[in-house]
Amino acid sequence: KVLVARDMTRGQIGLFGVGAAAAAALLATCAASPIEVPAEAATASDSRRVMTFMYLWYGDEAGNYTHWNHAVLPHWRPIDGLAFKHATGRRFAPPEEIHAPFWPRRGLYSSSDPVVLEEQMREMRAAGIGVAVVSWWGRPDVPGTHDSQGVNTDAVVPAVLAAAAKENMRVAFHLEPYEGRTAASVVKDVEYIRNRYGAHRAVLRTTRAALGARPSTPLEVPSDEGGVPLFFVYDSYHIPAEDWALHLNAGGALHRKGVFFGLVLRHQDQGDLARGAFDGLYSYFATNGFSFGSTTTHWRGIATKAREDGMVFSPSVAPGYDDRRIRPWNLRAWRPRASGGYYSSMWRAALAAVREGGFVTVTSWNEFGEGTQIEPCVPHTVKDGEGIPNSMRDALGEPGKRKSEDYGEAGPFHYLAVTRTFAIRLAAPPSEQGGGGAPRGGAA
């Protein structure tokens, strides 16, 4: 998803319910290990008021390191990408070096690995997240339904649902744009998802009213009480509002088949989504100030207007943005993490926006290519003579760069700790939510 145009102490690790003796080991280890889910985190997770966008496109060695080997993308206006023409189209070189500024703590994993999926779901739950919003690229039998690297994620969904059920998590669907997508084709997509996965106990069922209620109230609604799956429609603005309204209004093929959130990018999108009969809107983008929807100072106004229109707004918070390895020409969108300060700032704005009703989405769990992940990461250094050739490194404007970014002394679990603090605050009754200050543990 692109808009083109530190200190974690042992006490903070204790937020995850591990003792002091285990804290040093958690800071030092890179191996995957179980993580405790303390009662406060479980309560916040069960509220389902914090959701995170999760990507299912990664492959390990057996899967040719799909997406970890992402190609450098061209600028949509060739003249603006000339400075990086010698890098464009070239792929990164896993397992030594990947397409992202950060390195995952669990290594270059496969999104279809059930053990990995269970670990990820448990980490989310420990962070107070209750719903994984999975990236879905269309029905696999339809030509062109895949991402920019040729991956269709539908085959992974059953394993995701099984992992989510085991960890008492829920799943919603992020409907991604594919070649030839129309409102009518989305009708078929939703029918496919409902028929294939709709009865699974891990699928989130809710209503617009429940989503728009105060954060301290339940979000899940059983099917026999009108609960339906939740869908986020990325790039919804590429399809005319009239086309959406035909299917989302009463009598339309999508009416009461799901709760549908469209993307608010521009100011005009809010009105278009209302005319299109969407239930709500979400901002997704991680770059504060880059678009109308992603600018945090606009969020309270967007939320107010959404309520006036009978809709629900979900602000999307992010720890930063850095896609310079796959889009080296996109420096304007870069936002440094500021040791957690950027993330905390977005969270405070989100809490203010949803105080009267709504929920928060996190961009993202694991979109490594754009540097928005909160998934645990560790330092990594590419040895001399390994990884991408120096000519590609020079073409990217990274001469001599061999060390990944990391979460600093805060440690690999820092962003899970910050998320958990705010998730607990969100789920608390209004009288207990307090102000918008920094979370315990000192994120800026």
Side-chain angles (χ1 to χ4, degrees), residues 13-352:
I13 292 180
L15 289 172
F16 292 96
V18 297
L26 274 175
L27 282 171
T29 184
C30 296
S33 59
I35 190 167
E36 299 280 340
V37 182
E40 271 191 310
T43 299
S45 177
D46 290 346
S47 78
R48 314 297 180 197
R49 290 284 170 182
V50 180
M51 310 184 188
T52 188
F53 297 107
M54 181 183 190
Y55 293 87
L56 309 179
W57 51 33
Y58 297 107
D60 56 14
E61 183 176 11
N64 298 314
Y65 295 112
T66 306
H67 260 266
W68 303 118
N69 68 348
H70 201 293
V72 178
L73 297 170
H75 197 287
W76 78 99
R77 289 193 303 262
I79 192 170
D80 290 331
L82 283 178
F84 304 99
K85 65 180 181 180
H86 296 298
T88 300
R90 300 173 73 172
R91 290 191 173 274
F92 286 86
E96 291 82 14
E97 188 164 7
I98 63 174
H99 70 309
F102 295 88
W103 190 268
R105 175 180 173 265
R106 57 178 40 90
L108 307 188
Y109 58 81
S110 167
S111 294
S112 61
D113 185 332
V115 174
V116 168
L117 290 169
E118 289 175 17
E119 290 171 353
Q120 291 175 317
M121 293 294 173
R122 189 165 183 80
E123 287 172 351
M124 289 181 198
R125 189 159 167 77
I129 297 168
V131 181
V133 184
V134 298
S135 179
W136 190 82
W137 288 87
R139 289 161 284 142
D141 60 334
V142 177
T145 53
H146 54 72
D147 66 19
S148 67
Q149 305 302 295
V151 178
N152 181 291
T153 56
D154 181 68
V156 184
V157 173
V160 173
L161 291 172
K166 187 171 182 178
E167 298 299 335
N168 194 27
M169 287 284 293
R170 298 293 181 265
V171 172
F173 296 89
H174 204 184
L175 304 183
E176 302 280 7
Y178 51 79
E179 183 180 353
R181 187 176 74 167
T182 64
S185 73
V186 172
V187 170
K188 295 180 180 179
D189 293 339
V190 170
E191 181 181 18
Y192 174 94
I193 290 172
R194 283 174 56 91
N195 290 341
R196 193 171 180 88
Y197 309 121
H200 200 287
R201 66 189 180 96
V203 172
L204 176 69
R205 293 169 182 82
T206 188
T207 63
R208 175 167 58 183
L211 289 165
R214 288 183 178 272
S216 57
T217 59
L219 187 151
E220 286 193 86
V221 178
S223 297
D224 59 3
E225 297 179 19
V228 289
L230 174 61
F231 299 94
F232 296 82
V233 186
Y234 187 75
D235 275 2
S236 51
Y237 60 90
H238 285 307
I239 297 173
E242 294 74 18
D243 292 2
W244 287 120
L246 178 66
H247 299 291
L248 287 170
N249 271 321
L254 292 175
H255 186 61
R256 295 184 177 174
K257 297 297 190 299
V259 183
F260 295 89
F261 276 63
L263 180 67
V264 57
L265 176 64
R266 308 158 299 180
H267 185 276
Q268 70 193 64
D269 294 332
Q270 187 157 15
D272 288 345
L273 290 169
R275 289 192 299 111
F278 277 84
D279 297 291
L281 52 161
Y282 71 113
S283 57
Y284 185 83
F285 290 108
T287 303
N288 185 14
F290 203 99
S291 75
F292 170 77
S294 69
T295 300
T296 58
T297 54
H298 294 161
W299 285 356
R300 294 184 73 172
I302 295 174
T304 299
K305 181 64 166 60
R307 287 192 295 273
E308 292 172 355
D309 292 336
M311 302 172 73
V312 182
F313 175 51
S314 177
S316 302
V317 300
Y321 187 88
D322 188 353
D323 65 350
R324 291 175 293 173
R325 303 215 88 189
I326 59 174
R327 300 183 188 96
W329 36 264
N330 197 32
L331 184 61
R332 184 184 167 204
W334 174 58
R335 296 293 184 273
R337 294 192 171 217
S339 301
Y342 185 89
Y343 192 43
S344 295
S345 175
M346 293 197 91
W347 259 109
R348 288 192 290 270
L351 291 183

